[in-house]
Amino acid sequence: MKQLLTILLLIFFSFQCKIFKPSDLDPSQDLGTLQTLLRYLALADAFNTYSQTVTFMKFTDSNGNPYVNGIVEYSVFNEADENGVPVSPYGESGNIQPYTVTLDTYGRGFLFFSERGIAKITVKNSGNAIVGNASFRVYNGITKQSFFWLTQSGPTQFFLEDLANYRNRLGTSNVFTSLGSANGRQFLYLQIQTSYTSSTQYSSTGYIISSADGENYDQVTKIDGVNLKVDSGYETFLKISKPMFNGSEYVFFVSEERATYPAPGTYQSNRNLIFKIHQSFPSTSEVINLPIASDANLYRPDMFPWIYPAYYFSGRYLVTPTYSSGTQTRPTLLNENFAVNQDVVLGFSCAVAEPNLTALSYQLVNVGGTEYLQCQSSSSPPLGNTTYQVRSLDSVGLSNRIVTFDTGGGGYTFQTPPFYVRGKLVALLTNSGVIGFTFPTDNYAGASPTISRNASQITGFTTSLANGNPLLRSVKSSGNADFFILSTQPTFAATTIEIYRSTDSLISAFPLPPIPNEYNSPIANAEQLQSANGKLNYSWSISGPIGIGSLPVFLTRFTKDDGNWEDVPRLIKIR
């Protein structure tokens, strides 16, 4: 160690090192040039309003008591402020006015920063007395891990619950839709306003973003080739299917629809499209036309809820277009190049009379390495029947046969279609209550098999929910956990939801506590619930008040290892 110190001292004195003040530097020399570049970089960062930072903060007194109904006023000292630029509500002048937020019963609030510079925070109690001040630097790329307070004063304790930093206006999306999962990735659709003339005339751009964990969305792809706008009494918007993965690309069926405005408007026309994202995740991709009948529409022309089934199995795609009458659905198989392969109604007799049930009836079943597309063969729902028949199409030769599921007597009847989960088929049966049972797949591949339920029920899977529609709407699995999502309404409107969790390969299942109400919004579709790393996460958006209006907040909440929900949600991060 002494030798090392001696060497360092020799180097120091041999080069006659000295400490410079910035004013000592010659602007024409290298260090002076570097100082100037750093100054320009700070200015460029300060003027950049194309990124947003959202913080989720908590404020308490010195004893840890939250400032209930307290007021937080905050703003950013932007380098641009030195030019005397006047403030405006959303930065129209180039300088954003201070915002405020009223704290909730936990002393928490969401704070929004669309400028780069020094953020200043003033905390007032419910009596409007100032109780604390703090500051921190906001910069592009800031994260919760790199965040630190520059100053703090007063008796207030400042806590950062979470932080998200967004680029390219992605944090200002006015449309937030959960699309589902494929190949271990979760997908969301965001729509960003790109030009604005008035509330009845503006344009937008759509993005599909994806995540491997449900919190950090590290891939962003812009949808090119569509025209999303509101103008002259009409609007164009997108309806997007669940994602599919064909081994190298993520594929979505997309309907670009035109309807009268304001919403809900009258349907006018649509384009049936395909959107593909290569697994290398390019920053942009262009839609292509879907070559199906000209009078066929992806989705229904009305604003029917988002339950569109879409599947890829062994080189073929399933679409379920609706024809011009608006009620006749014709499931269709497409080849790898999206050319029509078979009309599933005429060729394979999939029943589609009840769209709420049809969306659930399509299942992919894998038995002995062969994939089967399973769909309802009878127009009658399973409710109250001791048997339930499905049409099963094998992926090799598309052979068409009937598979019959049997409750096996004992007074049991079907409440839901069977779902394929972890090598078994699961259905809810009714017998003095609704009970979960598994069905074996041993003879599934037979010529015309009848499959009876296993003798033992899934312990603990005994919901008291009752409704005329099938209760089991979706199953989400990852790791060793399977989550069963039950809803009293197929559209999830004004619904009662129960979620059951199994971690022992469907031997038992136990209910999760209700999703906490704090910072919540109603579930609009089952795809808001996804699973990653053995946990369930629920994604949604809410509006965060800023004193002169509100801005969007994107949230997700995870279950813990024990199946309970985490205490607070996390902000969704987008790269």
Side-chain angles (χ1 to χ4, degrees), residues 415 428 433-436 460-467 470-476 482-489 492 494-502 509-515 523 526 529 536 559 563 565:
Q415 211 286 328
L428 294 181
V434 180
I435 305 168
F461 200 175
T462 54
T463 177
S464 60
L465 295 178
N467 191 273
L471 288 174
L472 182 56
R473 308 306 303 180
S474 185
V475 183
K476 307 298 182 183
D482 303 293
F483 297 91
F484 299 87
I485 302 168
L486 281 62
S487 170
T488 56
Q489 291 289 331
F492 286 83
T495 184
T496 299
I497 295 172
E498 283 186 355
I499 303 172
Y500 286 78
R501 172 180 179 253
S502 175
F510 299 95
L512 267 64
I515 299 173
I523 291 180
L529 292 157
L536 192 71
T559 57
W565 293 98

Side-chain angles (χ1 to χ4, degrees), residues 400-422:
N400 176 21
R401 73 208 206 298
I402 292 290
V403 177
T404 302
F405 292 93
D406 194 320
T407 61
Y412 289 98
T413 59
F414 279 94
Q415 211 286 328
T416 66
F419 284 71
Y420 181 73
V421 184
R422 210 175 288 275

Side-chain angles (χ1 to χ4, degrees), residues 119-170:
K120 297 183 177 182
I121 297 174
T122 298
V123 183
K124 300 179 181 180
N125 61 21
S126 57
N128 206 38
I130 295 177
V131 291
N133 293 278
S135 67
F136 68 94
R137 178 170 287 280
V138 187
Y139 55 90
N140 292 334
I142 187 174
T143 65
K144 182 179 180 181
Q145 291 71 30
S146 64
F147 175 93
F148 66 93
W149 296 104
L150 292 174
T151 62
Q152 292 186 43
S153 64
T156 296
Q157 296 188 78
F158 300 82
F159 300 95
L160 177 69
E161 300 279 20
D162 206 355
L163 181 150
N165 191 66
Y166 304 114
R167 298 186 300 159
N168 302 326
R169 298 187 185 274
L170 287 172

Side-chain angles (χ1 to χ4, degrees), residues 311-511:
Y311 290 100
Y312 174 83
F313 72 118
S314 298
R316 297 178 179 88
Y317 299 91
L318 170 74
V319 294
T320 55
T322 301
Y323 283 70
S324 54
S325 63
T327 57
Q328 181 190 11
T329 303
R330 297 272 291 273
T332 304
L333 288 179
L334 306 176
N335 287 328
E336 188 78 56
N337 64 355
F338 300 102
V340 174
N341 178 288
Q342 296 278 2
D343 184 319
V344 183
V345 172
L346 299 180
F348 303 113
S349 303
C350 284
V352 292
E354 221 305 4
N356 286 337
L357 183 59
T358 300
L360 298 180
S361 299
Y362 292 104
Q363 296 285 328
L364 290 183
V365 178
N366 194 308
V367 177
T370 300
E371 203 166 38
Y372 298 84
L373 175 63
Q374 178 178 290
C375 58
Q376 186 175 345
S377 67
S378 170
S379 59
S380 300
L383 301 178
N385 296 322
T386 59
T387 60
Y388 176 69
Q389 290 188 331
V390 300
R391 185 72 60 175
S392 183
L393 322 174
D394 77 83
S395 58
V396 179
L398 293 182
S399 61
N400 176 21
R401 73 208 206 298
I402 292 290
V403 177
T404 302
F405 292 93
D406 194 320
T407 61
Y412 289 98
T413 59
F414 279 94
Q415 211 286 328
T416 66
F419 284 71
Y420 181 73
V421 184
R422 210 175 288 275
K424 302 175 184 177
L425 289 143
V426 180
L428 294 181
L429 306 182
T430 301
N431 184 353
S432 300
V434 180
I435 305 168
F437 278 91
T438 59
F439 291 76
T441 58
D442 298 348
N443 63 336
Y444 185 93
S448 185
T450 295
I451 302 175
S452 297
R453 65 174 169 86
N454 289 316
S456 299
Q457 70 182 68
I458 302 175
T459 303
F461 200 175
T462 54
T463 177
S464 60
L465 295 178
N467 191 273
N469 292 300
L471 288 174
L472 182 56
R473 308 306 303 180
S474 185
V475 183
K476 307 298 182 183
S477 303
S478 69
N480 71 331
D482 303 293
F483 297 91
F484 299 87
I485 302 168
L486 281 62
S487 170
T488 56
Q489 291 289 331
T491 62
F492 286 83
T495 184
T496 299
I497 295 172
E498 283 186 355
I499 303 172
Y500 286 78
R501 172 180 179 253
S502 175
T503 57
D504 54 13
S505 297
L506 311 183
I507 296 173
S508 64
F510 299 95

Side-chain angles (χ1 to χ4, degrees), residues 189-316:
Y189 171 67
L190 302 180
Q191 188 168 298
I192 313 299
Q193 192 176 100
T194 51
S195 68
Y196 182 86
T197 302
S198 69
S199 61
T200 59
Q201 187 177 12
Y202 57 88
S203 298
S204 302
T205 298
Y207 296 84
I208 289 180
I209 65 176
S210 73
S211 168
D213 61 11
E215 177 185 4
N216 300 286
Y217 284 77
D218 58 348
Q219 301 299 337
V220 178
T221 303
K222 185 175 74 169
I223 303 175
D224 267 353
V226 295
N227 186 13
L228 307 177
K229 64 179 181 179
V230 170
D231 190 18
S232 303
Y234 77 92
E235 67 172 327
T236 52
F237 53 90
L238 300 183
K239 295 179 180 178
I240 306 174
S241 77
K242 298 178 182 180
M244 298 159 284
F245 184 66
N246 64 17
S248 62
E249 298 169 314
Y250 298 92
V251 178
F252 304 81
F253 296 126
V254 178
S255 176
E256 180 191 53
E257 296 197 5
R258 174 175 166 138
T260 57
Y261 184 82
T266 302
Y267 170 86
Q268 293 182 336
S269 63
N270 90 306
R271 289 198 300 155
N272 299 312
L273 305 168
I274 303 156
F275 186 67
K276 299 189 293 183
I277 304 175
H278 192 271
Q279 63 182 349
S280 62
F281 292 101
S283 59
T284 183
S285 184
E286 188 160 358
V287 297
I288 59 177
N289 289 321
L290 176 60
I292 57 176
S294 59
D295 60 343
N297 303 305
L298 292 176
Y299 294 87
R300 288 168 30 155
D302 59 14
M303 296 300 290
F304 194 67
W306 192 95
I307 55 173
Y308 192 86
Y311 290 100
Y312 174 83
F313 72 118
S314 298
R316 297 178 179 88

